[in-house]
Amino acid sequence: MPNMAENKVIDQGNPDFDWDALANEGYSQAEHAEYADTYEETLTSINEKEVITGTVVSLTEREVVVNIGYKSEGVIPINEFRYNPDLAVGDEVVVYVEAQEDKTGQLVVSHKTARMHHAWDRVNDALKTGEVITGHVKCRTKGGLIVDVFGIEAFLPGSQIDVKPIRDYDMYVGKDMEFRVVKINQEFKNVVVSHKALIEAELEEQKKQIISGLEKGQVLEGTVKNITSYGVFIDLGGVDGLIHITDLSWGRVNHPEEVVELDQKLNVVILDFDDDKKRIALGLKQLQSHPWDALDESMNVGDKVKGKVVVLADYGAFVEIAPGVEGLIHVSEMSWSQHLRTAQDFLSVGDEVEAVILTLDREDRKMSLGIKQLMPDPWSDIEKRYPVDSKHEAKVRNFTNFGVFVELEEGVDGLIHISDLSWQKKIKHPSEFCKVGDPMEVVVLEIDKENRRISLGHKQLEENPWDVFETIFGEGSEHQGTIIDMKDKSGIVSLPYGVEAICPAKHMRKEDGSNAKVDEQLNFKVIEFNKDAKKIVVSHLRTFEEGEDKPTTKKSSGGKKGASKAMKDVNKGGEKSTLGDLDALAALKDKMDGKDDEK
């Protein structure tokens, strides 16, 4: 086999071959340069990152080829033209040059980016010039609508859709509308548009004409634009006026929705307006006759009427006896009782009531009513039902420094003077004796029908114990007692039957020379008895001291000793007895009187 290495021939070519001449294909280098310059002049000069206009030269299912006059054509995905389903060859479109050449030498352009840049420029121009632009409402969002303007999503606030409040935003979705650019946030690329601005501009001239012709008392037709808790806003054709809730109806209105509804057309009267006519006060009830004018002429004071409670206050209730005609029932006219109470204690809103007309002023359109007048006056026959000296049960209502007010029945109160509460206790304030709400037995002492006053007593239910005490605790009599308190160095001594006596300081000395103390039980001698002042003065000193009092005790021993013995029989340990033993005291007195007769 021959040696292949020895037979191999390496062709290194002609090192003197003129490749440039082959490339020029017969053109000289100077001619080639000239023709190249001429070709370059036919091409469009483009820069990266700029927007230019091109022409569609072909369409496929996936791509759009655009000629921008450059040495290569741009290829754009067809989905960037979804907004324009009618795109055809020959249409002019804007493109954004992202790169003159990619890795393969292909021109890189974008229609979507070009639209964004182009749209942003147009939007900024529209803001500067106030140009009216057209956009497509895409969808609803919180607080408004999203609008497509030149391919940019702009925000249309709900308040900028129309001059009147919009309650259904969805009705605008999918529609083309005209707008005016009102605000642009350059940093966040946010655009705000307004349709209301276009309407306002149209209405401004109409508004001026309406305002210039406004006069008080003028009647106009308007449309209910908005309802609030305090009134109704009326659109008078580009000018808004307010009907206050008090001017909607002659009757009581809790909320304007009871009278009107949105979009309702009404005739209203102009009541007032400010100097600039920017605030217009309107009235609706003024177009109707006042209900007081239609009030029955035969209605007079003393007549009975029926109505419904529409308003309650602490001081009374307003009753509507006819639409727009109300009367006041003062709380003092709701019951014969004199106690302070509120109208809520008697009535509620919505109650149907019957009342008597107390006053009627047609000129001032005022009326006062009463319901207690439909009930018998408890004072009309007061002497028959509560004769003097009759006994009754009452209820403690309140105190004063001088006595206790008690209620005998609804509307009939009486006073128990502090001095008529107890025969034997010295009461500084009535609260020491009883409590509010307590039942109390009373005796009628005096009646003043004209002034509606009754004087009552409580102690009069019992015999005056001091009549008996006078026979028991006479001066010189001795009794066992207990010191229960000290006052100004004098002792307060509890004697039988709940009687308290005073033992002066000098009479507190005991037989051993010491002074008596609280809670000590000792014998005491009465040295003073004052029935009128209900005062008893005693002495322990005199029970053992030799002196002029000893004979006095012996001299009266017949009656007093008998009294002391009888008292012991009744009291039996005694000093803690109370006025509950008055019957026993009376029996004791009779017994003593019998002994005196025998003697």
Side-chain angles (χ1 to χ4, degrees):
M1 188 173 181
N3 188 345
M4 296 300 292
E6 295 178 357
N7 296 334
K8 186 176 181 180
V9 177
I10 300 175
D11 186 2
Q12 297 181 353
N14 185 359
D16 298 327
F17 186 79
D18 189 356
W19 290 98
D20 291 333
L22 179 63
N24 290 333
E25 298 179 351
Y27 295 101
S28 66
Q29 189 169 0
E31 289 175 332
H32 184 274
E34 180 183 353
Y35 292 144
D37 292 340
T38 303
Y39 174 70
E40 290 292 337
E41 290 176 0
T42 65
L43 299 177
T44 303
S45 177
I46 65 171
N47 296 314
E48 292 185 357
K49 312 303 181 186
E50 73 173 353
V51 177
I52 60 177
T53 302
T55 304
V56 177
V57 293
S58 68
L59 289 169
T60 69
E61 292 182 357
R62 302 178 63 182
E63 296 175 333
V64 177
V65 180
V66 180
N67 179 19
I68 61 173
Y70 194 57
K71 58 186 177 181
S72 63
E73 296 169 336
V75 180
I76 303 171
I78 198 168
N79 61 6
E80 293 190 18
F81 295 91
R82 283 180 301 177
Y83 73 94
N84 185 7
D86 299 325
L87 183 68
V89 174
D91 289 349
E92 289 188 348
V93 294
V94 291
V95 295
Y96 177 76
V97 180
E98 294 183 350
Q100 292 182 350
E101 292 182 357
D102 60 8
K103 294 180 180 180
T104 62
Q106 180 67 42
L107 175 67
V108 181
V109 294
S110 170
H111 177 63
K112 180 179 179 181
T113 306
R115 286 188 69 212
M116 291 296 295
H117 281 270
H118 187 63
W120 190 251
D121 292 338
R122 290 190 62 185
V123 164
N124 279 276
D125 290 341
L127 177 62
K128 294 177 183 178
T129 61
E131 175 190 357
V132 177
I133 60 177
T134 301
H136 181 76
V137 180
K138 295 179 62 177
C139 63
R140 178 178 177 176
T141 188
K142 183 178 180 181
L145 300 168
I146 298 297
V147 179
D148 186 326
V149 179
F150 308 136
I152 296 176
E153 288 190 348
F155 178 59
L156 174 62
S159 61
Q160 294 299 314
I161 297 175
D162 205 336
V163 291
K164 60 183 179 181
I166 301 300
R167 293 178 290 278
D168 183 13
Y169 291 174
D170 293 330
M171 63 183 292
Y172 294 95
V173 175
K175 292 183 178 181
D176 290 335
M177 299 174 63
E178 291 184 333
F179 304 101
R180 181 167 284 155
V181 180
V182 294
K183 186 178 180 181
I184 296 177
N185 187 319
Q186 300 290 346
E187 182 180 356
F188 297 102
K189 302 295 183 183
N190 291 335
V191 180
V192 180
V193 296
S194 171
H195 180 69
K196 176 182 176 182
L198 300 178
I199 302 175
E200 287 178 333
E202 296 173 1
L203 294 177
E204 190 62 31
E205 187 62 30
Q206 181 181 352
K207 184 176 179 180
K208 290 179 181 178
Q209 294 178 0
I210 295 175
I211 289 178
S212 62
L214 290 180
E215 294 181 3
K216 293 182 181 179
Q218 185 179 11
V219 178
L220 300 173
E221 184 182 59
T223 305
V224 177
K225 180 179 179 180
N226 192 22
I227 300 175
T228 68
S229 60
Y230 57 86
V232 179
F233 287 94
I234 303 294
D235 183 359
L236 300 175
V239 179
D240 289 349
L242 173 66
I243 306 176
H244 194 269
I245 188 171
T246 57
D247 290 314
L248 284 171
S249 171
W250 291 114
R252 294 271 180 174
V253 178
N254 295 319
H255 196 282
E257 290 177 345
E258 299 174 4
V259 182
V260 299
E261 58 186 22
L262 288 171
D263 300 326
Q264 181 181 354
K265 292 188 179 298
L266 300 171
N267 286 330
V268 294
V269 60
I270 297 177
L271 303 180
D272 200 2
F273 46 76
D274 59 12
D275 294 337
D276 298 330
K277 297 183 180 178
K278 292 182 179 179
R279 294 184 179 180
I280 304 172
L282 304 175
L284 183 63
K285 71 179 184 182
Q286 288 77 6
L287 296 176
Q288 305 167 357
S289 60
H290 199 289
W292 272 85
D293 298 335
L295 193 64
D296 190 351
E297 290 292 337
S298 63
M299 186 177 291
N300 291 306
V301 173
D303 291 348
K304 295 180 181 179
V305 293
K306 292 183 179 180
K308 184 172 73 172
V309 177
V310 290
V311 175
L312 268 182
D314 289 342
Y315 58 86
F318 288 92
V319 177
E320 187 177 57
I321 64 171
V325 179
E326 297 176 4
L328 172 64
I329 306 178
H330 194 271
V331 66
S332 62
E333 302 299 338
M334 294 181 180
S335 168
W336 289 108
S337 175
Q338 301 299 312
H339 303 297
L340 293 177
R341 295 160 81 176
T342 64
Q344 288 87 344
D345 295 331
F346 300 96
L347 299 171
S348 300
V349 173
D351 286 352
E352 298 285 345
V353 297
E354 186 178 25
V356 175
I357 299 176
L358 303 181
T359 63
L360 180 60
D361 188 341
R362 294 178 183 271
E363 184 176 346
D364 290 337
R365 294 168 176 168
K366 292 181 179 180
M367 179 189 303
S368 62
L369 306 171
I371 55 177
K372 75 179 184 182
Q373 289 75 10
L374 297 174
M375 299 177 284
D377 184 356
W379 286 85
S380 59
D381 58 348
I382 196 71
E383 299 97 335
K384 293 181 180 179
R385 293 184 298 114
Y386 297 99
V388 175
D389 294 333
S390 61
K391 298 178 181 179
H392 307 275
E393 183 172 296
K395 185 178 181 180
V396 177
R397 299 295 302 191
N398 61 288
F399 302 130
T400 66
N401 291 330
F402 54 84
V404 181
F405 282 98
V406 297
E407 183 181 58
L408 293 168
E409 65 174 85
E410 181 82 10
V412 180
D413 289 356
L415 172 66
I416 306 174
H417 195 272
I418 194 170
S419 61
D420 290 317
L421 288 173
S422 174
W423 286 111
Q424 64 189 91
K425 285 187 178 181
K426 290 185 179 180
I427 301 170
K428 295 179 180 179
H429 192 275
S431 59
E432 301 172 6
F433 188 82
C434 57
K435 297 178 181 179
V436 173
D438 284 352
M440 183 179 290
E441 294 290 331
V442 295
V443 175
V444 178
L445 303 181
E446 184 180 354
I447 296 177
D448 183 354
K449 182 178 179 180
E450 183 177 353
N451 294 311
R452 293 177 177 254
R453 293 177 181 174
I454 296 182
S455 296
L456 304 171
H458 176 69
K459 70 181 185 181
Q460 289 79 2
L461 291 167
E462 303 167 340
E463 183 180 353
N464 187 352
W466 287 88
D467 292 337
V468 178
F469 293 160
E470 186 176 22
T471 62
I472 298 175
F473 300 103
E475 292 182 6
S477 61
E478 289 188 18
H479 309 276
Q480 192 177 63
T482 302
I483 302 172
I484 59 175
D485 197 7
M486 298 293 294
K487 187 175 182 180
D488 298 331
K489 296 184 179 181
S490 297
I492 306 301
V493 180
S494 175
L495 297 175
Y497 301 101
V499 178
E500 293 181 357
I502 299 173
C503 182
K506 65 180 181 179
H507 292 276
M508 295 280 287
R509 184 166 60 85
K510 296 194 292 187
E511 195 168 2
D512 60 4
S514 63
N515 287 328
K517 297 180 181 179
V518 174
D519 293 334
E520 282 196 71
Q521 192 176 49
L522 303 168
N523 287 331
F524 294 89
K525 179 178 286 187
V526 178
I527 58 176
E528 181 184 346
F529 181 89
N530 189 329
K531 176 182 176 181
D532 295 333
K534 299 181 178 61
K535 178 181 178 182
I536 299 176
V537 181
V538 297
S539 171
H540 175 66
L541 176 66
R542 295 290 176 86
T543 60
F544 61 85
E545 180 188 59
E546 294 294 333
E548 58 183 6
D549 287 320
K550 291 286 185 181
T552 302
T553 304
K554 289 179 182 179
K555 195 179 286 186
S556 59
S557 61
K560 302 304 177 183
K561 284 183 180 179
S564 178
K565 183 177 184 303
M567 180 186 67
K568 288 179 181 179
D569 292 340
V570 176
N571 196 28
K572 308 217 173 208
E575 64 191 72
K576 301 199 176 189
S577 299
T578 65
L579 282 177
D581 297 316
L582 281 175
D583 292 340
L585 284 173
L588 173 61
K589 181 180 179 182
D590 293 339
K591 186 176 181 180
M592 291 174 61
D593 290 343
K595 287 186 178 183
D596 289 341
D597 292 340
E598 291 175 5
K599 188 176 179 178

